[in-house]
Amino acid sequence: MLVVDFGAQYAQLIARRVRELGVFSEIVSHRLTADQMASRQPAAIILSGGPKSVHVPGAPTLDAAIYELGVPVLGICYGAQLIAQQLGGTVGRGMKGEYGRTRLTRAGESLVLPDDAPQQHDVWMSHFDGITEAPDGFAVTASSPGAPVAVLEDDDRKIYGVQFHPEVVHSPHGMATMARFLHERAAIGSDWTMASVIDEQVAEIRARVGDARVICGLSGGVDSSVAAALVHKAIGPQLTCIYVDTGLMRKNESEQVVETFRRNLGIELIHADEGAGFFEALAGLTEPEAKRKAIGERFIRVFERHTGGLTEAKFLVQGTLYPDLIESGGADGTADVIKSHHNVGGLPEDMELELIEPLRDLFKDEVRALGTELGLPDEMVWRQPFPGPGLGVRIIGEVTPERVALLQEADAIVREELRAAGLEREIWQSYAALLADVRSVGVMGDERTYGHPIVIRAVTSDDAMTADWARVPYDTLEVMSQRIINEVPGVNRVVYDITSKPPGTIEWE
């Protein structure tokens, strides 16, 4: 199923909701022609919401021939207004508009609203203009105080529109509305599952790779781990994973990666224990970008050295996700030769390896579900995002082995206490940062101390583009603070960061 993007944040959420209903979805540009749309052989099309009025100059539009393809179409908010405007209806200008929770009133039998939805029920609206007159052939089956035509339907042409947002949780009958469109009006089954993704990818990887060798640069994160496990399921011993241990990982993380991949999953793993070299490269550096560059350059040299003996390798596995492609504008294209590594700042430019991206169609939550299906342990599947340079950018100041060891202990306490409080899966990212260039006076026992502060950072987010500071209970924060000060030598003060993104960033650097 295709979700047509009109330039707002709604398209990704709609695509995710469709997948939750067991239907595979892709996001496409509104600029596609009817022929281009038809070439993808969609079973249905959803027109997303958008930030503009259909009346303003330059507002995104749609090739009207798409309505003649015979493919079921559902317009949501802006998409519904576009249907009305393009097919001969009327969209009012400068109306009162509706924002937030709104009362919807049914006006007749509907083929998209669920049968068990009450005569009046709440929906979530976000519109200024509204449809005042439906095109010929359309039935108006619901209205709201600010939208005379809140639901319009033409079952003969299989074209439907809803002014509200069924994809948000604030529309209680929204998912049922989408399900009715997909399963009844478009007759699509709920057969897209993680098991089916595995079967499809395994077959595709085997056909593409043949008997060639494949390498995967493991970061220890969720994406590369799941990608490696999936490729290994397809080609077994033809895959070699290289884990570059920078010495900047979280406490016990390297041991866990080696244990999971080498011993539990039986994947050939080269463990490049290179911490000493990275600390040497970081000596004397305090500026964040300089540290990132030093780590990236050292990583390149290490990776080159450890892949030198794999001259027969033809493919490189990378854990690219669907949002990565959307944000980079590359969702409709493919990259055949690896030129850079988005985590660590660049692999060798002359590395002529074809790219395998088995997760390129998946969102983060789907990757986690896939990892579970593949048998990866929860502690790996639910691992939080972690920067490529690791703890090197969570130490404000020069990076030394002693400071990394200190931060590892503090960070482990933060993660342990959030897990104990049952908050681990509610939080997008949490960690401790060390202000190594800052010291303050404290009193421990009867003695004066002069130690470093630890900053605790915890945020909630859906996609890391924006984030809000997590409202961690005071009792949990108190335990974290007490444990860090009592158990981590050299720390005498703990602070909690309550900055959202924007204006701040998720990482401290």
Side-chain angles (χ1 to χ4, degrees):
M1 202 223 66
L2 300 180
V3 178
V4 180
D5 183 5
F6 289 103
Q9 73 270 30
Y10 307 107
Q12 282 201 40
L13 182 55
I14 293 169
R16 291 166 66 94
R17 293 290 184 252
V18 169
R19 294 182 181 198
E20 288 174 20
L21 293 167
V23 177
F24 180 66
S25 61
E26 288 185 316
I27 299 172
V28 297
S29 169
H30 65 88
R31 297 182 180 87
L32 263 61
T33 66
D35 288 342
Q36 290 171 323
M37 203 83 77
S39 70
R40 295 172 177 261
Q41 299 181 309
I45 297 170
I46 291 182
L47 311 181
S48 81
K52 295 185 177 180
S53 162
V54 295
H55 295 299
V56 302
T61 186
L62 191 70
D63 182 352
I66 289 171
Y67 301 118
E68 308 302 324
L69 294 176
V71 178
V73 176
L74 173 66
I76 294 175
C77 193
Y78 182 91
Q81 294 179 9
L82 196 60
I83 287 173
Q85 183 192 61
Q86 291 189 303
L87 296 182
T90 303
V91 179
R93 293 173 179 263
M95 300 176 66
K96 181 181 178 181
E98 293 169 317
Y99 302 92
R101 188 169 285 104
T102 306
R103 203 72 168 162
L104 188 78
T105 300
R106 302 177 70 131
E109 184 177 350
S110 172
L111 295 172
V112 289
L113 295 177
D115 288 335
D116 60 354
Q119 178 69 16
Q120 291 191 330
H121 60 274
D122 287 341
V123 295
W124 193 262
M125 294 280 199
S126 181
H127 68 97
F128 185 63
D129 295 336
I131 305 168
T132 56
E133 184 178 350
D136 290 343
F138 280 81
V140 178
T141 59
S143 64
S144 67
V149 181
V151 180
L152 65 161
E153 310 176 17
D154 183 343
D155 199 49
D156 290 337
R157 286 191 284 177
K158 300 292 181 184
I159 301 174
Y160 314 88
V162 295
Q163 182 64 69
F164 63 93
H165 286 275
E167 74 274 17
V168 303
V169 296
H170 307 293
S171 294
H173 299 280
M175 283 293 280
T177 298
M178 295 179 70
R180 194 166 189 198
F181 168 72
L182 293 168
H183 302 322
E184 295 183 21
R185 306 276 67 79
I188 308 174
S190 299
D191 54 2
W192 188 76
T193 63
M194 287 304 104
S196 71
V197 170
I198 292 173
D199 291 342
E200 290 171 7
Q201 283 297 321
V202 164
E204 183 179 320
I205 292 167
R206 284 174 179 167
R208 183 178 175 197
V209 169
D211 59 0
R213 295 287 299 175
V214 179
I215 59 176
C216 176
L218 273 182
S219 68
V222 179
D223 304 338
S224 66
S225 298
V226 173
L230 181 54
V231 173
H232 182 258
K233 184 176 179 65
I235 60 173
Q238 292 169 242
L239 172 69
T240 298
C241 289
I242 300 172
Y243 173 57
V244 178
D245 187 347
T246 64
L248 305 171
M249 308 303 286
R250 289 168 286 200
K251 184 179 180 180
N252 299 328
E253 194 159 41
S254 292
E255 293 85 346
Q256 185 187 53
V257 171
V258 173
E259 181 75 21
T260 298
F261 281 87
R262 185 180 286 168
R263 298 185 179 90
N264 295 350
L265 298 180
I267 295 177
E268 182 181 348
L269 176 68
I270 296 174
H271 179 197
D273 189 354
E274 299 281 344
F278 280 90
F279 285 119
E280 180 183 330
L282 288 166
L285 300 181
T286 59
E287 201 275 322
E289 192 56 36
K291 290 192 288 185
R292 279 185 175 273
K293 184 176 180 181
I295 294 168
E297 289 177 349
R298 174 67 64 162
F299 186 96
I300 292 172
R301 303 286 81 82
V302 171
F303 199 86
E304 281 181 321
R305 189 167 71 251
H306 286 278
T307 56
L310 300 172
T311 54
E312 74 276 25
K314 293 183 179 179
F315 298 91
L316 177 69
V317 178
Q318 189 166 348
T320 308
L321 304 191
Y322 196 43
D324 298 331
L325 296 173
I326 295 169
E327 290 167 9
S328 65
D332 293 332
T334 57
D336 291 327
V337 179
I338 181 67
K339 291 297 183 185
S340 65
H341 190 292
H342 70 281
N343 281 332
V344 296
L347 291 178
E349 292 187 1
D350 58 353
M351 184 179 285
E352 296 292 327
L353 294 173
E354 292 185 49
L355 203 57
I356 294 177
E357 299 172 301
L359 311 179
R360 61 181 286 122
D361 290 329
L362 303 181
F363 290 101
K364 191 78 170 188
D365 55 334
E366 294 166 340
V367 171
R368 295 192 195 279
L370 186 66
T372 299
E373 187 81 18
L374 288 166
L376 290 174
D378 278 357
E379 57 266 27
M380 181 161 284
V381 169
W382 288 96
R383 184 166 290 162
Q384 293 180 356
F386 189 58
L391 299 181
V393 293
R394 290 181 178 173
I395 294 175
I396 312 306
E398 184 179 3
V399 179
T400 66
E402 296 74 21
R403 288 174 172 179
V404 169
L406 183 157
L407 183 54
Q408 284 175 332
E409 295 299 326
D411 182 74
I413 290 171
V414 170
R415 291 184 287 122
E416 286 170 11
E417 292 305 325
L418 287 175
R419 189 180 307 117
L423 298 172
E424 189 176 37
R425 295 191 184 183
E426 295 180 21
I427 291 174
W428 174 267
Q429 201 164 342
S430 59
Y431 63 88
L434 171 64
L435 304 189
D437 285 346
V438 176
R439 300 181 78 182
S440 64
V441 174
V443 177
M444 299 175 72
D446 293 327
E447 297 183 0
R448 176 184 182 274
T449 63
Y450 193 48
H452 298 289
I454 284 287
V455 177
I456 297 174
R457 179 76 159 141
V459 299
T460 57
S461 180
D462 290 324
D463 53 15
M465 300 301 291
T466 61
D468 193 14
W469 62 277
R471 272 61 172 177
V472 176
Y474 291 157
D475 290 348
T476 302
L477 291 173
E478 181 181 20
V479 173
M480 288 180 189
S481 177
Q482 289 176 339
R483 285 194 60 195
I484 290 172
I485 290 173
N486 290 340
E487 299 175 27
V488 183
V491 175
N492 66 354
R493 195 178 296 270
V494 175
V495 298
Y496 186 54
D497 183 350
I498 59 169
T499 311
S500 295
K501 176 188 178 181
T505 57
I506 294 178
E507 289 292 338
W508 262 74
E509 59 176 297

